Amino acid sequence: MAGSSFGTIFRITTWGETHGAGVGVVVDGCPAGLALCEEDIQEYLDRRKPGQSRYTTQRKEGDKVSILSGVFEGKTTGTPISMVVYNENQRSKDYSNIMDIYRPGHADYTYDMKYGFRDYRGGGRSSGRETIGRVAAGAVAAKLLKELGIHISSYAKVIAGIGICQQNFDEKEIWKNPFYMPDADAAAKVQERAEQAMKELDSVGGIIECVITGVKPGIGDPAFDKLSAQLGKAVLSIGAVKGFEIGDGFGTAFARGSQNNDEFAMKDGEITKITNHSGGVLGGISDGSPIIFRAAVKPTPSIARTQNTVNKDGQDVEIKIRGRHDPMIVPRAVVVVESMAAITILDGILKNMSATLENVKKIYE
Amino acid sequence: MAGSSFGTIFRITTWGETHGAGVGVVVDGCPAGLALCEEDIQEYLDRRKPGQSRYTTQRKEGDKVSILSGVFEGKTTGTPISMVVYNENQRSKDYSNIMDIYRPGHADYTYDMKYGFRDYRGGGRSSGRETIGRVAAGAVAAKLLKELGIHISSYAKVIAGIGICQQNFDEKEIWKNPFYMPDADAAAKVQERAEQAMKELDSVGGIIECVITGVKPGIGDPAFDKLSAQLGKAVLSIGAVKGFEIGDGFGTAFARGSQNNDEFAMKDGEITKITNHSGGVLGGISDGSPIIFRAAVKPTPSIARTQNTVNKDGQDVEIKIRGRHDPMIVPRAVVVVESMAAITILDGILKNMSATLENVKKIYE
Amino acid sequence: MAGSSFGTIFRITTWGETHGAGVGVVVDGCPAGLALCEEDIQEYLDRRKPGQSRYTTQRKEGDKVSILSGVFEGKTTGTPISMVVYNENQRSKDYSNIMDIYRPGHADYTYDMKYGFRDYRGGGRSSGRETIGRVAAGAVAAKLLKELGIHISSYAKVIAGIGICQQNFDEKEIWKNPFYMPDADAAAKVQERAEQAMKELDSVGGIIECVITGVKPGIGDPAFDKLSAQLGKAVLSIGAVKGFEIGDGFGTAFARGSQNNDEFAMKDGEITKITNHSGGVLGGISDGSPIIFRAAVKPTPSIARTQNTVNKDGQDVEIKIRGRHDPMIVPRAVVVVESMAAITILDGILKNMSATLENVKKIYE
Amino acid sequence: MAGSSFGTIFRITTWGETHGAGVGVVVDGCPAGLALCEEDIQEYLDRRKPGQSRYTTQRKEGDKVSILSGVFEGKTTGTPISMVVYNENQRSKDYSNIMDIYRPGHADYTYDMKYGFRDYRGGGRSSGRETIGRVAAGAVAAKLLKELGIHISSYAKVIAGIGICQQNFDEKEIWKNPFYMPDADAAAKVQERAEQAMKELDSVGGIIECVITGVKPGIGDPAFDKLSAQLGKAVLSIGAVKGFEIGDGFGTAFARGSQNNDEFAMKDGEITKITNHSGGVLGGISDGSPIIFRAAVKPTPSIARTQNTVNKDGQDVEIKIRGRHDPMIVPRAVVVVESMAAITILDGILKNMSATLENVKKIYE
């Protein structure tokens, strides 16, 4: 079944395997007239590319994007935008140690069960490289959102058990440490823990937080297409994400209604919320407060230790995964989360355009 | 934008407001030949209906379901199954105290911002009664899954800060206390806390857990339609849900790769996983282990205390919500979570049918 | 597979069988703020209801519509509009002569092949009554289009081989004869032919034409969602329709490019087309001229003559269809074609809202 | 709005402009395990490539396809198949004579009205080159259908007013003349007419017929997704197609029910239809007879004659289109029609897999 598309009006379709010819995305439904060039995309891709620090894989890949269609004279034309990153790392390698073996924590086994066989080179479609298409599309969405006054900030909130301290929060710091953490102290501690884990041939997990400001009230649909549900799907569809929460999230389970309800109040002639336990979404629709959500990211399953597993012939075997792997997924996933958020919010805004007859008349007449 | 549908092959569309003529659902794409009658549906609806205990609203509604189409001579025909529950509680009431006021924690404000006005009677479409359609459809899905050997169990894991103790877990207990908790001791403590909260004119939140057994490996799609992402969307689209996690969920953020990876091993000639940190889904595809996920449910926003808020004319006002409201959402939401899970799993199984040419030939030839 | 929905933003889902509890439709995605009441719907339904003349079936059914949701204080709320017509004709009849027999020209055989069995009462889901949901939804769409200055006119162009004469075209005449023909002379001749066919226990076919005025240029999408393709699907999905053409249609096959191209010219300061061979659509997008298309409607398959056929046990048998059947489908299908056109055009207009960044800013800012 | 995708389970997304970097398609949802290589695709593309005869454009383009993903070790993996044809004809040309002028019969004007501007080079997205993606995807679908015993044959039935004679029908002849006509005599006459039209700086239209054999009964869905409606949309979405009919099509409008009904009869122990007026589809579902439909194709709008038109500044101007253009669209469109048919039939077969609980059990258990 087709499952490589996301979004309704702003709709993306990704394709590609990590060791095939390349990976890419087709963005269909982008409004015409947005100034766009390859540099806009590259800036986002560079945030997820390998080799940025010793805490991400040391593979060397330029991940240079090409726009193949949908942009003319520097502007989107309204027709599909096809973008591709050709794989440099395509050389024929020796996969004999993994082609028949099911790596723990990976999708090898499940792909074989579903499709009967799989592209075993580097994880094939289930590799993190699949997210390149998401980030390229996210860059387009984020650029358009900027034109509407919407800003998305995402960062590591927790890595290896070390969380940021809200008092130390400094957005500029995000860009200064290899972990995309807005707290220099926390980042330093993460570095220690990471070194320790690497020494022990192990990997660590974490939590990414995303804050979206500038979203007006009214975005998102009742019932199944609640903005929170769409964001949840967007983020949970990223390979290593195992949890999603919005606003107070799992904390609401322990709260009283009187604590969790956000009271409304007039402020400078505007309706505002005094608190933001809701995370910017009420009844599935944006309430004008910043949208805040978190994603739990599991530790990299590729670890250098010897692990027990089985092969496809049904024999118990040991596996030792070779090659250079990220000791943590979080830093490179930060921009992926941000991209999926941008795509979801933009799609929500476009879907909301026809919410009222008044809006319809504003465009049609 | 249309947003009242969920699922692709097994697709449901819900409709209705709490104080309109009724609420209902159209289930399209249900395979033909499933034995189905109104009792099958009613059994599920009775688990969410009001008035089951003093910890759910005391409103009296029979919530009797009628099947209007798609079933003939006791079997589904393959055509749309339309089901309706007519509202008994339609009497014209005095809404003057809420029609212009934005209740904290409710969707009143966001609906007004989106649509320009709203059906203010009892929350209209944003009311919990919208879930009746989900549960009716879920009953159909669950019945079909049973034919495939799949069983879904859901229950309250935490209410008002009181969690079940894994050693005390007793599935039969779920049906014996008003909280659908599989731990009698925990349920007793919840009762105390609930009484306390009610006395203080307040409400409490909780966590629902869902365990699905019998799902074979291979269900779910790579990329955006991962089974975990679909389950996440399904569950996050339920009114009061603010968080979703699968397997170890947010716990993975604090784990090492060596702890979080589930090793494979041969057992009785079958490939199995020694542990189930993944919650039954690897790379978005079912891995044969039980699928386990949790949903965070916020406290009922309708509380009897006086709250500060604003009205639609932009004045600061106080509101005191009258009427009978659930002091907690969790118990009645248990079957809603179970229903959304059933719909998602069934849709995943149907989508998987065309995964291989071999399967296609098996049906076509 | 779910296949009972049509449209993307303005999306309808129909349900129901001719001899079940009723037939209905859920309209999801209708913009909020449209004045709507049951009379608006009833007016359309009355144009397709049986018993209007001796050239349509003499069954007596009031076809009274109820709106169950989505309308509050006389206006659409933006949430799903559920509409139902309960069947009066539900009495248990003797179907022994058709339950096992495949009527020629009907879907009995194909339903059995697809689903393994079928609701044999009066054709079940494949009955013309399925179109009630379409017409109810079409009435909503047409009302909204009227607010945008768009008018749809449809009528019989050919019945029983008798075509209207363009010189005699009189729109008012449509409402004066039982055939919805805009030419009194042609209608008189049709009457003769119809009487003849009825005497011979036979039925006749025809062509419906539809003209949509007031559609501005720019509606419809390139590639697969061309306005012409969407209209084609909409109309070809009506039970008895076997052909669709837009503008000069099949005539273009016999034309030269110099004849078929519509030259543009300035007129009163506006860009206009001198001719309209395109039927108002160029490259799949509306060009500002009236949209003109035609649908070929086959003769009623239920005829009173004895026909040869087989039964489900694989025996050659004779069948004589009892009961009151329309000697022609065209007159009652006119409003169905009009309804499908209205739904398609409205959906196209809503989809076009996000075509440019300029439009997006107009609504969002 | 996204509109560049077609199909539900077997879903294709095309992209690209005629003078951009290339054109391509992503095929999502192709079952795993189909043997596939670039030659399979190239064979289809070669049937639509320019320069095959003097009756198609003399532009030289190799149209070499590359498969970028979704195929591993010679078989489809179940993940998206990305295919691309890079444009050779990308050289910067002088477009000053058309960039501001609306060519009659083309989409220049409507694109400008929709998007505010357009890629004016050679028609951009509205060029016939958009169909390359359809044909590449169609080749995949057709290859899979062959495995199921389904064969699709398409050919020119009418060109320039010359129709084939059913008695002369010879399938092998299709491949022997430049018009893909199964009648040598008709082809000879078409050649004369074509020469005449070219001499007069004009173009001609025609009709393509498509016959699909081997489709078992039961494919297609009731209501909106009738197989006939899906085929209609598929074919009407091809640039120059202005009409579609299935079986007796517009002829049914002139027939009696007794003539148009296909009687069933037992033949060699199988239920068969004596005639095939239905064109293989009853009630929207395949009936086991060959599926037969026709598409009306307009004459090439690019003609060498001087034509009157307007420019985007609202001035009346004359235009003389330079360059090498096909004097007829039909021959190169034959394989496009065939491709869209293959995609539609395959999608229908995959959608039908879940029609019955029995089928579901056959795959799941």
Side-chain angles (χ1 to χ4, degrees), chain C residues 115-289:
Chain C
Y115 297 117
F117 78 117
R118 71 184 195 282
D119 181 345
Y120 47 72
R121 301 167 302 168
R125 177 80 177 144
S126 75
S127 152
R129 271 186 88 71
E130 179 263 338
T131 60
I132 284 181
R134 301 173 183 239
V135 173
V140 179
K143 182 133 202 237
L144 202 153
L145 290 179
K146 224 173 285 174
E147 298 254 350
L148 304 179
I150 294 169
H151 177 72
I152 308 184
S153 170
S154 54
Y155 45 83
K157 190 181 180 76
V158 175
I159 296 180
I162 308 294
I164 60 169
C165 176
Q166 216 56 41
Q167 286 100 310
N168 294 350
F169 191 101
D170 178 2
E171 196 166 354
K172 292 189 302 292
E173 187 59 33
I174 297 172
W175 309 97
K176 294 187 186 157
N177 63 69
F179 309 109
Y180 293 96
M181 272 195 132
D183 172 346
D185 289 358
K189 284 185 210 145
V190 165
Q191 187 161 340
E192 273 175 52
R193 292 258 183 118
E195 292 289 345
Q196 187 64 27
M198 289 160 80
K199 216 173 295 170
E200 298 172 15
L201 308 180
D202 216 337
S203 62
V204 296
I207 295 175
I208 294 171
E209 189 165 74
C210 184
V211 180
I212 311 164
T213 52
V215 179
K216 298 188 178 171
I219 308 307
D221 285 290
F224 302 105
D225 289 354
K226 290 186 166 74
L227 193 57
S228 36
Q230 302 275 42
L231 284 168
K233 183 179 172 185
V235 169
L236 287 157
S237 74
I238 303 169
V241 174
K242 301 297 282 186
F244 172 88
E245 57 177 12
I246 189 157
D248 285 6
F250 276 87
T252 65
F254 302 88
R256 286 280 189 89
S258 60
Q259 299 163 322
N260 188 61
N261 283 350
D262 298 315
E263 296 193 333
F264 291 99
M266 297 308 299
K267 201 175 146 186
D268 305 330
E270 297 283 316
I271 294 176
T272 48
K273 283 162 50 200
I274 298 297
T275 51
N276 189 17
H277 298 293
S278 75
V281 176
L282 274 173
I285 300 170
S286 64
D287 64 18
S289 297

Side-chain angles (χ1 to χ4, degrees), chain A residues 30-287:
Chain A
C30 183
L34 175 71
L36 190 74
C37 61
E38 286 169 354
E39 287 67 34
D40 294 321
I41 314 299
Q42 198 61 52
E43 185 190 320
Y44 269 68
L45 288 177
D46 287 349
R47 289 169 59 193
R48 79 158 289 293
K49 89 173 166 193
Q52 298 175 64
S53 80
R54 66 180 258 100
Y55 307 107
T56 57
T57 175
Q58 296 304 303
R59 280 196 314 272
K60 283 278 163 268
E61 301 203 65
D63 287 356
K64 286 291 163 211
V65 73
S66 302
I67 299 178
L68 301 182
S69 70
V71 176
F72 182 60
E73 298 184 337
K75 286 187 299 183
T76 58
T77 60
T79 60
I81 304 168
S82 177
M83 296 182 280
V84 63
V85 168
Y86 297 104
N87 291 333
E88 302 168 6
N89 218 338
Q90 243 183 300
R91 69 179 183 286
S92 176
K93 231 173 69 176
D94 179 14
Y95 293 101
S96 53
N97 75 320
I98 61 157
M99 60 185 283
D100 294 334
I101 294 182
Y102 297 135
R103 292 170 297 166
H106 279 280
D108 304 340
Y109 172 64
T110 56
Y111 270 61
D112 261 17
M113 288 299 101
K114 184 176 191 74
Y115 297 119
F117 78 118
R118 71 185 195 281
D119 181 345
Y120 47 72
R121 301 167 303 169
R125 177 80 176 145
S126 75
S127 153
R129 272 186 87 69
E130 179 263 337
T131 60
I132 284 182
R134 300 173 184 239
V135 174
V140 178
K143 184 135 200 236
L144 201 154
L145 290 179
K146 224 173 286 175
E147 297 254 350
L148 304 179
I150 294 169
H151 178 72
I152 307 184
S153 171
S154 54
Y155 45 82
K157 190 180 181 78
V158 174
I159 295 180
I162 308 295
I164 60 170
C165 176
Q166 215 57 41
Q167 287 99 309
N168 293 350
F169 192 101
D170 177 2
E171 195 165 356
K172 290 189 301 294
E173 188 58 34
I174 296 173
W175 309 96
K176 293 187 187 158
N177 64 68
F179 309 110
Y180 294 95
M181 272 194 130
D183 173 346
D185 289 357
K189 284 186 212 145
V190 166
Q191 187 161 340
E192 273 176 53
R193 293 258 181 118
E195 292 291 344
Q196 188 63 28
M198 289 160 82
K199 217 174 296 170
E200 297 172 14
L201 308 180
D202 216 337
S203 62
V204 297
I207 295 174
I208 294 170
E209 188 166 75
C210 185
V211 180
I212 310 164
T213 51
V215 179
K216 299 188 178 172
I219 309 305
D221 284 291
F224 302 105
D225 289 354
K226 291 188 165 73
L227 193 57
S228 37
Q230 302 275 43
L231 284 168
K233 182 180 174 186
V235 168
L236 287 159
S237 76
I238 302 169
V241 174
K242 301 298 283 185
F244 171 88
E245 58 176 10
I246 190 158
D248 286 5
F250 277 87
T252 64
F254 303 88
R256 287 278 188 91
S258 60
Q259 299 163 319
N260 187 61
N261 284 350
D262 299 313
E263 296 193 334
F264 291 98
M266 297 308 299
K267 201 176 148 186
D268 305 330
E270 298 282 317
I271 294 176
T272 49
K273 284 161 50 200
I274 298 298
T275 50
N276 188 18
H277 299 292
S278 75
V281 177
L282 274 174
I285 300 170
S286 64
D287 64 18

Side-chain angles (χ1 to χ4, degrees), chain B residues 24-279:
Chain B
V25 65
V26 180
V27 176
D28 198 17
C30 183
L34 175 72
L36 191 74
C37 62
E38 286 169 354
E39 286 67 33
D40 294 319
I41 314 299
Q42 197 61 50
E43 185 190 322
Y44 270 68
L45 288 176
D46 286 350
R47 290 168 58 193
R48 78 160 288 294
K49 88 173 169 192
Q52 298 175 65
S53 79
R54 65 179 255 102
Y55 308 107
T56 57
T57 174
Q58 297 305 304
R59 280 196 312 273
K60 284 277 165 266
E61 301 202 63
D63 288 354
K64 287 291 163 212
V65 71
S66 303
I67 299 178
L68 302 182
S69 70
V71 176
F72 181 60
E73 298 183 340
K75 285 188 300 182
T76 59
T77 61
T79 60
I81 305 167
S82 178
M83 295 181 280
V84 63
V85 167
Y86 297 103
N87 290 333
E88 302 167 8
N89 219 337
Q90 243 182 298
R91 69 178 183 285
S92 177
K93 229 173 69 176
D94 179 13
Y95 293 100
S96 53
N97 74 321
I98 61 155
M99 60 185 284
D100 295 334
I101 294 182
Y102 297 135
R103 292 170 298 164
H106 278 280
D108 303 340
Y109 172 64
T110 55
Y111 269 62
D112 262 16
M113 289 298 101
K114 184 175 192 74
Y115 297 119
F117 78 117
R118 73 184 193 282
D119 181 344
Y120 47 73
R121 300 167 304 168
R125 177 79 176 146
S126 74
S127 152
R129 271 185 87 71
E130 179 263 338
T131 60
I132 284 181
R134 300 172 184 239
V135 173
V140 179
K143 182 134 201 236
L144 202 153
L145 290 179
K146 224 172 286 174
E147 298 255 350
L148 304 179
I150 294 169
H151 177 72
I152 308 183
S153 170
S154 54
Y155 44 82
K157 190 182 181 74
V158 175
I159 296 179
I162 308 294
I164 60 169
C165 176
Q166 216 56 42
Q167 287 99 310
N168 294 349
F169 192 101
D170 178 2
E171 195 167 353
K172 290 189 304 290
E173 188 60 32
I174 297 173
W175 309 97
K176 294 189 186 155
N177 63 70
F179 309 110
Y180 293 95
M181 271 195 132
D183 172 347
D185 289 357
K189 284 185 211 147
V190 165
Q191 186 161 340
E192 273 177 51
R193 291 259 183 119
E195 292 289 344
Q196 188 62 27
M198 289 161 81
K199 217 175 294 171
E200 298 172 16
L201 308 180
D202 216 338
S203 61
V204 297
I207 295 175
I208 294 170
E209 189 165 73
C210 184
V211 180
I212 311 164
T213 52
V215 179
K216 299 188 177 173
I219 309 305
D221 286 290
F224 301 105
D225 289 354
K226 289 187 166 74
L227 193 57
S228 37
Q230 301 276 42
L231 284 169
K233 183 180 172 184
V235 169
L236 287 158
S237 75
I238 302 169
V241 175
K242 302 297 283 186
F244 171 89
E245 58 177 11
I246 188 157
D248 286 4
F250 276 87
T252 65
F254 302 88
R256 287 279 189 91
S258 60
Q259 300 164 319
N260 188 60
N261 283 350
D262 298 314
E263 296 193 335
F264 291 98
M266 296 309 299
K267 203 176 146 185
D268 305 330
E270 298 281 317
I271 295 177
T272 48
K273 285 162 48 201
I274 298 297
T275 51
N276 189 17
H277 299 292
S278 75

Side-chain angles (χ1 to χ4, degrees), chain C residues 1-6 8-9 12 14 102-107 109-111 113-116 125 130 134 158-161 193 196-197 200 202-207 217-226 228-230 232-233 236-239 241-246 249-250 252-266 271 277-279 281-283 285-287 294-303 305-311 314-316 340 351-352 354-356, chain D residues 1-6 8-9 12 14 102-107 109-111 113-116 125 130 134 158-161 193 196-197 200 202-207 217-226 228-230 232-233 236-239 241-246 249-250 252-266 271 277-279 281-283 285-287 294-303 305-311 314-316 340 351-352 354-356:
Chain C
M1 172 95 199
S4 301
S5 297
F6 185 83
T8 302
I9 294 187
I12 74 170
T14 67
Y102 297 135
R103 292 170 298 164
H106 278 280
Y109 172 65
T110 56
Y111 269 60
M113 288 299 101
K114 184 176 192 73
Y115 297 117
R125 177 80 177 144
E130 179 263 338
R134 301 173 183 239
V158 175
I159 296 180
R193 292 258 183 118
Q196 187 64 27
E200 298 172 15
D202 216 337
S203 62
V204 296
I207 295 175
I219 308 307
D221 285 290
F224 302 105
D225 289 354
K226 290 186 166 74
S228 36
Q230 302 275 42
K233 183 179 172 185
L236 287 157
S237 74
I238 303 169
V241 174
K242 301 297 282 186
F244 172 88
E245 57 177 12
I246 189 157
F250 276 87
T252 65
F254 302 88
R256 286 280 189 89
S258 60
Q259 299 163 322
N260 188 61
N261 283 350
D262 298 315
E263 296 193 333
F264 291 99
M266 297 308 299
I271 294 176
H277 298 293
S278 75
V281 176
L282 274 173
I285 300 170
S286 64
D287 64 18
R294 280 169 297 284
V297 181
K298 73 175 188 180
T300 322
S302 288
I303 52 177
R305 289 188 194 194
T306 300
Q307 298 177 86
N308 295 313
T309 189
V310 301
N311 64 20
Q315 297 165 310
D316 289 296
M340 291 308 298
K351 288 197 281 187
N352 186 52
S354 60
T356 65
Chain D
M1 174 92 200
S4 300
S5 298
F6 185 81
T8 301
I9 294 187
I12 75 170
T14 67
Y102 296 134
R103 291 170 300 163
H106 277 281
Y109 172 64
T110 56
Y111 269 61
M113 288 299 101
K114 184 176 192 72
Y115 296 118
R125 177 81 176 143
E130 179 262 337
R134 300 172 183 239
V158 174
I159 296 181
R193 291 260 182 118
Q196 188 63 29
E200 297 173 15
D202 216 338
S203 62
V204 298
I207 295 175
I219 309 305
D221 285 291
F224 301 105
D225 290 353
K226 291 186 164 75
S228 37
Q230 301 275 41
K233 183 180 172 186
L236 287 158
S237 75
I238 302 169
V241 174
K242 302 297 284 185
F244 171 89
E245 57 177 11
I246 189 157
F250 277 87
T252 64
F254 302 89
R256 287 278 188 91
S258 60
Q259 300 163 319
N260 187 61
N261 284 350
D262 298 315
E263 296 192 335
F264 291 98
M266 297 309 297
I271 294 177
H277 299 292
S278 75
V281 177
L282 274 174
I285 300 170
S286 64
D287 63 18
R294 281 168 297 282
V297 181
K298 74 175 187 179
T300 322
S302 288
I303 53 176
R305 289 188 191 192
T306 301
Q307 298 177 84
N308 296 312
T309 189
V310 300
N311 64 19
Q315 296 165 311
D316 288 298
M340 293 306 299
K351 288 196 281 188
N352 186 53
S354 58
T356 64

Side-chain angles (χ1 to χ4, degrees), chain D residues 128-149:
Chain D
R129 272 187 87 69
E130 179 262 337
T131 60
I132 284 180
R134 300 172 183 239
V135 173
V140 179
K143 183 133 200 238
L144 202 154
L145 290 179
K146 224 172 287 175
E147 297 255 350
L148 305 179

